[in-house]
Amino acid sequence: MSKVITREQQEEKYTWDLQTIFESDEAFEEKYKELEGRLGEEVQFQGKIDSSEALAAALETERAISDEIGKLFVYAHLKHDQDTSNDTYSALESKARTLVVKFNTAWSFLIPEIMKVDQETLETWRQEERLSEFSFDLEKLNKKREHVLSDKEERLLAQAGEVMSNPTSTFGMFNNADLEFPDAVDAEGNTHALTQGTYIDLLKSSDRTLRQSAYENLYSTYGAFKNTLSQTLQGVVSTHVFQAQARGYDSARHQALSNNFIPEAVYDNLVKTVNDHLHLMHRYTELRRKQLGLDKLKMYDVYTPMIKDVEFEMTYEEAKDWMLKSLEPMGDTYLNIIKEGLDSRWVDVYENKGKRSGAYSSGTYGTNPFILMNWQNNVNNLFTLTHEFGHSVHSYYSRQSQPSNKSGYSIFVAEVASNFNEALLADYMFKNLEDTKKKLYLLNEQLEGFRGSVFRQTMFAEFEHKIHSMKEAGEPLTAGSLNAVYGDLNRKYFGDAVEYDEYIDVEWARIPHFYMNYYVYQYSTGYAAAASLSKQVLEGDTDVAERYINEFLKKGSSDYPINVLKNAGVDMTTSEPIENAMKVFESQLDQFEALLEKL
């Protein structure tokens, strides 16, 4: 039986170096006390934003404190995520989160007070030199005037922040720290540890008995808590709906997309275009059924490789080499940033007990862009590592090139850099692999990546919009109604090649992104944009790589996300990028079928 190691058993070189943020927990506490003591500095600006000089001083003070609190929060949440069962760091994260709420509450007066300045005057002020770093922020505020509330109302919403985050916090703690699954059992009766980190790897097993055991054990466990989890999900959806109504938006989706100035038509256009191409998804599931030699495909069969007997394990050390070679078209500066990350312990590599599941890139202005992994020795983890370094390099460039208030970037563009990296990796590997079976395996991974990043995320987007619409119409979100909506969508997307069961209907209960307010659709749009940009780079146009770095990676939030992508060479207000992505998927299907004939 495989064992999951404890945090103390991790080798230091495979853990992230959080001492680059704070040398110790004691240093964290000192900084916490210092910043807690700065609460109150906002009083000097309340009721006194009567000149451009006063506005600049207020914005600069708020930004300086915010930057430091950001470091506190990142340190605490990374410490917590490396072992969510550690009470010390659970308390530390809670403490940091509370300080964030207190800070936001204290400064909640600022935007309403800025909004008291008439639009014409504010437009004049933002042209002045001292406010140049805040000029674009002020422009966006002017555009959101109708949704800004009074001082009292804004303060009340800020104070409610911690309460409204409870459904998400409860789900995260339950999903990562408390929930345990029975071991999966293979055809020979051997047991395998089933965790958030091992689940997908078990579903990739060639042993169908093991796949079925892992699948049923995972979803039967979630099913046992479906009523509780339906309430945590309903809680966060209710929060989204309440906030939108309080601010006068048409809907929760309207508010979520308006935050980044994304037209709602982009969302609808994505869903429609993907739905128009579901025949390609159905072609894929039918191909999978035939290749696996099954009468009916089950949902626990959709991850296992279609190409059998391929030895394609990938250690972490091997993965680093593949990643670096594949990204050489981006130039030495780009590569050196990744090498710095690998050498300076940006990456927390291996799973341990209590560690947060999945993978991400995190950090803030003034810290390294850290990467969480739960490494398994397979090629999929190579793609995940390369994906997360796309995020990290994006963050590195934007933080180096922009002031802190413009160094972040919207979630609409966040997935472009990560998928761009994956596209370069896939192209390099396909060109440098000689074994036909390995090429087929790689194509299988690309098809799976497309299924997961475009079709699956668009299905998630449909689900998310449906449940928000139900709540806005006054319909309760029960376990039964959530199961019904999710099950119907699953059947529509996967088609007739799949034989369905009741387990998959409860998959909604384990998806953390449903707590993130209209996030998931951007995986699909990001994938499409990345496909277009990477194609241009791979065609050998060196100007494209330079433009991608200068007009996209370095821009942060210095322009509207739609414009940032357009300047980089992709117009997401049209259906063309999604259509082009579908052509890529169809081409991969064609290549896969052609290579099969050579076996």
Side-chain angles (χ1 to χ4, degrees):
M1 181 171 62
S2 57
K3 297 288 185 182
V4 180
I5 64 173
T6 65
R7 186 67 187 177
E8 291 71 25
Q9 292 171 317
Q10 293 276 26
E11 288 187 64
E12 184 181 78
K13 66 179 180 179
Y14 294 123
T15 63
W16 46 32
D17 183 7
L18 301 186
Q19 287 185 312
T20 57
I21 309 177
F22 293 107
E23 290 186 3
S24 64
D25 294 348
E26 290 73 24
F28 169 94
E29 294 291 351
E30 288 178 14
K31 177 60 70 172
Y32 183 94
K33 290 178 182 177
E34 175 191 329
L35 292 171
E36 192 174 37
R38 296 194 67 178
L39 295 176
E41 289 187 24
E42 72 281 352
V43 174
Q44 64 186 302
F45 302 109
Q46 290 179 346
K48 300 175 183 177
I49 307 297
D50 53 7
S51 66
S52 59
E53 290 79 10
L55 176 57
L59 291 172
E60 288 164 359
T61 302
E62 190 270 349
R63 180 175 67 179
I65 300 172
S66 178
D67 288 350
E68 293 302 306
I69 289 179
K71 295 176 188 176
L72 276 179
F73 182 76
V74 165
Y75 179 85
H77 104 74
L78 295 181
K79 281 284 192 179
H80 170 260
D81 285 359
Q82 71 188 28
D83 184 358
T84 61
S85 64
N86 186 313
D87 289 344
T88 297
Y89 293 120
S90 292
L92 205 69
E93 187 195 36
S94 178
K95 187 175 180 179
R97 194 179 297 278
T98 298
L99 184 62
V100 170
V101 172
K102 287 181 179 178
F103 170 78
N104 289 338
T105 300
W107 283 89
S108 63
F109 76 94
L110 185 56
I111 290 178
E113 195 144 317
I114 293 173
M115 291 295 93
K116 290 178 182 177
V117 180
D118 67 79
Q119 189 166 349
E120 185 177 346
T121 300
L122 190 61
E123 182 64 22
T124 300
W125 286 1
R126 78 179 190 85
Q127 307 296 331
E128 297 181 17
E129 179 64 27
R130 185 172 178 183
L131 282 167
S132 60
E133 289 188 347
F134 300 99
S135 178
F136 183 54
D137 296 325
L138 296 173
E139 177 185 315
K140 289 186 291 184
L141 278 180
N142 255 341
K143 290 187 175 183
K144 290 186 176 182
R145 276 182 178 268
E146 63 180 305
H147 302 295
V148 176
L149 306 177
S150 68
D151 294 16
K152 184 177 180 180
E153 290 168 327
E154 288 290 344
R155 184 175 180 84
L156 186 62
L157 282 181
Q159 288 174 327
E162 189 169 16
V163 175
M164 290 191 290
S165 70
N166 274 342
T168 300
S169 300
T170 299
F171 171 78
M173 186 62 72
F174 175 80
N175 204 39
N176 293 304
D178 292 340
L179 197 60
E180 294 184 355
F181 308 101
D183 288 341
V185 182
D186 62 28
E188 297 180 354
N190 300 312
T191 57
H192 301 256
L194 175 60
T195 68
Q196 301 282 11
T198 64
Y199 174 62
I200 296 300
D201 205 44
L202 291 173
L203 286 195
K204 291 186 175 184
S205 170
S206 60
D207 185 335
R208 200 178 192 210
T209 299
L210 178 59
R211 299 200 301 268
Q212 180 178 355
S213 176
Y215 171 81
E216 292 182 355
N217 286 356
L218 185 103
Y219 286 118
S220 61
T221 302
Y222 276 104
F225 298 97
K226 63 184 178 182
N227 294 313
T228 298
L229 292 173
S230 71
Q231 292 308 294
T232 59
L233 184 55
Q234 177 167 244
V236 79
V237 171
S238 296
T239 296
H240 299 160
V241 172
F242 164 74
Q243 290 174 323
Q245 291 174 343
R247 294 191 177 279
Y249 287 94
D250 296 338
S251 65
R253 188 180 75 167
H254 182 210
Q255 179 181 20
L257 271 64
S258 292
N259 285 338
N260 293 312
F261 299 91
I262 306 298
E264 287 188 88
V266 171
Y267 199 103
D268 292 329
N269 183 57
L270 167 69
V271 172
K272 181 183 183 303
T273 306
V274 170
N275 271 263
D276 288 344
H277 291 81
L278 283 179
H279 63 279
L280 294 175
M281 179 63 174
H282 299 164
R283 176 183 163 190
Y284 173 59
T285 54
E286 176 60 20
L287 173 63
R288 171 171 281 279
R289 183 193 67 78
K290 288 181 178 178
Q291 188 61 25
L292 293 178
L294 301 171
D295 292 333
K296 279 289 185 179
L297 198 69
K298 298 288 286 186
M299 287 306 299
Y300 50 77
D301 298 318
V302 299
Y303 286 92
T304 189
M306 291 185 285
I307 303 302
K308 302 297 182 184
D309 304 320
V310 179
E311 292 294 330
F312 210 160
E313 290 192 352
M314 181 71 60
T315 67
Y316 178 64
E317 299 301 327
E318 290 170 333
K320 292 191 293 185
D321 188 54
W322 275 105
M323 176 175 64
L324 288 169
K325 287 179 178 176
S326 72
L327 298 176
E328 286 179 359
M330 293 307 298
D332 290 341
T333 302
Y334 190 96
L335 280 179
N336 286 337
I337 294 171
I338 295 178
K339 289 175 181 177
E340 178 185 344
L342 293 170
D343 294 340
S344 301
R345 291 174 52 205
W346 292 1
V347 188
D348 202 84
V349 182
Y350 295 107
E351 183 182 11
N352 55 249
K353 289 181 180 179
K355 187 175 178 180
R356 186 190 189 277
S357 62
Y360 63 63
S361 172
S362 182
T364 190
Y365 194 83
T367 76
N368 291 325
F370 294 98
I371 293 174
L372 180 138
M373 293 287 298
N374 282 277
W375 188 267
Q376 305 291 322
N377 285 336
N378 57 54
V379 72
N380 185 61
N381 275 245
L382 161 61
F383 276 86
T384 301
L385 180 69
T386 306
H387 178 105
E388 298 305 337
F389 259 108
H391 288 308
S392 289
V393 173
H394 191 183
S395 297
Y396 183 94
Y397 268 120
S398 62
R399 291 169 191 161
Q400 292 289 320
S401 305
Q402 302 292 338
S404 62
N405 58 295
K406 293 190 288 188
S407 66
Y409 42 83
S410 79
I411 57 177
F412 184 73
V413 301
E415 294 303 321
V416 175
S418 52
N419 285 304
F420 176 91
N421 268 16
E422 286 199 62
L424 294 189
L425 174 63
D427 180 81
Y428 176 80
M429 293 188 76
F430 194 80
K431 289 175 179 176
N432 288 276
L433 290 170
E434 296 181 359
D435 186 280
T436 299
K437 280 195 171 185
K438 284 190 174 182
K439 285 191 172 187
L440 280 165
Y441 187 91
L442 178 61
L443 276 172
N444 186 169
E445 289 296 309
Q446 290 179 269
L447 291 167
E448 273 296 285
F450 199 102
R451 178 187 68 79
S453 295
V454 180
F455 288 109
R456 179 174 169 84
Q457 299 302 327
T458 304
M459 182 181 80
F460 284 176
E462 281 205 66
F463 175 77
E464 186 173 22
H465 186 48
K466 175 65 176 174
I467 63 176
H468 279 80
S469 298
M470 289 169 63
K471 191 64 184 176
E472 286 163 343
E475 298 179 43
L477 301 182
T478 65
S481 64
L482 293 169
N483 282 1
V485 172
Y486 195 87
D488 288 345
L489 284 171
N490 208 75
R491 287 158 177 76
K492 180 175 76 168
Y493 272 76
F494 283 85
D496 294 336
V498 177
E499 183 175 69
Y500 300 96
D501 54 55
E502 72 279 6
Y503 293 102
I504 197 61
D505 291 353
V506 79
E507 186 178 36
W508 57 266
R510 65 177 287 260
I511 308 299
H513 288 102
F514 291 153
Y515 291 77
M516 297 175 67
N517 200 10
Y518 285 93
Y519 182 96
V520 293
Y521 83 99
Q522 290 152 128
Y523 282 111
S524 301
T525 55
Y527 187 98
S532 177
L533 290 167
S534 60
K535 182 175 181 294
Q536 295 174 56
V537 170
L538 291 170
E539 286 173 349
D541 188 341
T542 55
D543 291 339
V544 175
E546 185 176 345
R547 184 183 70 206
Y548 172 74
I549 292 172
N550 292 327
E551 299 299 326
F552 179 71
L553 296 181
K554 290 184 177 181
K555 287 299 181 181
S557 56
S558 62
D559 198 354
Y560 300 106
I562 284 285
N563 291 344
V564 170
L565 274 178
K566 190 176 291 186
N567 292 336
V570 180
D571 186 356
M572 294 305 299
T573 63
T574 72
S575 62
E576 184 179 2
I578 311 298
E579 295 277 357
N580 287 339
M582 291 298 165
K583 291 176 183 176
V584 170
F585 183 67
E586 187 171 19
S587 174
Q588 291 170 350
L589 282 170
D590 292 341
Q591 284 181 299
F592 191 89
E593 290 171 341
L595 280 176
L596 281 176
E597 295 178 2
K598 295 182 179 181
L599 288 180

